[in-house]
């Protein structure tokens, strides 16, 4: 009887975890969504980024996206990955880290706690081939640290998992933009289009 109860309990626990991992949220992220305005009441440029609540017991996030965006009117036809080979180095702003990488205008995210972004901002993650890159399978950003999401997969089509830091209660999605993709963030006024993003939330195991 004890063995049976143990099996039943284990099955219930596994079922609950599977249900939790299967939870998903669909959002539309406008090309004007300013990731550096995360946690603000009103944006200093563009529009506010999309906010998703971080459940207490669901630390893992996975992403899939469709749609088309452009950082300069309708000149580009970009998916979540952004402009391939476009060097980007954007400064921090208002307690949110900067953003740097080899792709321009990708879908990015940032986790925040219930508090406003704190000074000094965390270090800027560099998503270039000689640093963090884009082909990680899991990522553990800090509170206030902007991170590359792109299409949510490596070049080998492996699904990437992004883990919320301790104390995170909010996840924001948006884009990093600046004149010529360098210096202080801004230049959202001429952006065009949007992405439809499905966010899967759950307890995913690291590999």
């Amino acid at each position: 009887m004890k063995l049976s109860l143990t099996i039943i309990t284990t099955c219930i626990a596994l079922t609950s975890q599977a249900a939790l991992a299967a939870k998903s949220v669909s959002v539309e992220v406008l090309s004007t969504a300013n990731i550096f305005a995360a946690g603000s009441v009103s944006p200093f440029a563009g529009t506010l980024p999309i906010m998703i609540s971080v459940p207490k017991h669901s630390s893992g996030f996975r992403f899939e996206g469709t749609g088309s965006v452009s950082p300069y009117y309708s000149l580009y036809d970009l998916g979540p990955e952004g402009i391939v080979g476009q060097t980007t180095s954007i400064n921090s702003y208002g307690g949110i880290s900067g953003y740097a990488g080899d792709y321009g205008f990708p879908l990015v995210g940032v986790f925040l706690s219930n508090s406003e972004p704190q000074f000094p901002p965390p270090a800027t993650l560099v998503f270039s081939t000689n640093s963090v890159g884009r082909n990680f399978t899991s990522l553990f950003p800090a509170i206030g640290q902007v991170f590359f999401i792109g299409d949510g997969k490596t070049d080998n089509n492996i699904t990437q998992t992004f883990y919320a830091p301790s104390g995170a209660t909010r996840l924001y999605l948006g884009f990093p933009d600046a004149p010529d993709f360098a210096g202080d963030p801004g230049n959202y006024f001429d952006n065009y289009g949007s992405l439809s993003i499905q966010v899967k939330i759950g307890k995913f195991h690291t590999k």
Side-chain angles (χ1 to χ4, degrees), residues 8-197:
I8 292 171
T9 303
T10 301
C11 288
I12 291 173
L14 290 174
T15 301
S16 298
Q17 289 179 3
L20 189 60
K23 180 179 178 181
S24 64
V25 177
S26 295
V27 296
E28 181 181 14
V29 185
L30 299 177
S31 59
T32 53
N34 180 354
I35 195 63
F36 302 99
S40 300
V41 176
S42 60
F44 61 90
T47 57
L48 289 173
I50 296 299
M51 189 198 83
I52 298 171
S53 295
V54 177
K56 289 183 178 180
H57 304 293
S58 301
S59 60
F61 291 79
R62 292 176 176 176
F63 303 90
E64 294 181 10
T66 59
S68 174
V69 293
S70 173
Y72 184 72
Y73 300 103
S74 58
L75 177 64
Y76 294 91
D77 183 14
L78 305 173
E81 291 280 282
I83 306 172
V84 179
Q86 173 63 61
T87 300
T88 301
S89 182
I90 302 176
N91 298 334
S92 62
Y93 185 93
I96 303 294
S97 82
Y99 176 80
D102 292 338
Y103 281 44
F105 206 67
L107 178 70
V108 296
V110 65
F111 288 106
L112 293 182
S113 65
N114 283 329
S115 302
E116 293 186 5
Q118 302 294 305
F119 290 92
T124 296
L125 294 174
V126 181
F127 292 92
S128 59
T129 53
N130 60 352
S131 189
V132 178
R134 297 169 33 263
N135 285 302
F136 50 85
T137 55
S138 59
L139 191 70
F140 297 81
I143 294 285
Q145 200 166 44
V146 177
F147 57 91
F148 177 93
I149 297 174
D151 64 4
K153 297 181 183 298
T154 68
D155 290 342
N156 293 323
N157 207 37
I158 298 173
T159 299
Q160 297 166 308
T161 305
F162 303 79
Y163 291 93
S166 176
T169 59
R170 299 173 287 172
L171 166 64
Y172 288 88
L173 302 180
F175 297 92
D177 202 1
D180 296 321
F181 299 106
D184 293 336
N187 235 43
Y188 288 85
F189 68 92
D190 55 0
N191 296 357
Y192 181 85
S194 65
L195 298 178
S196 296
I197 305 298

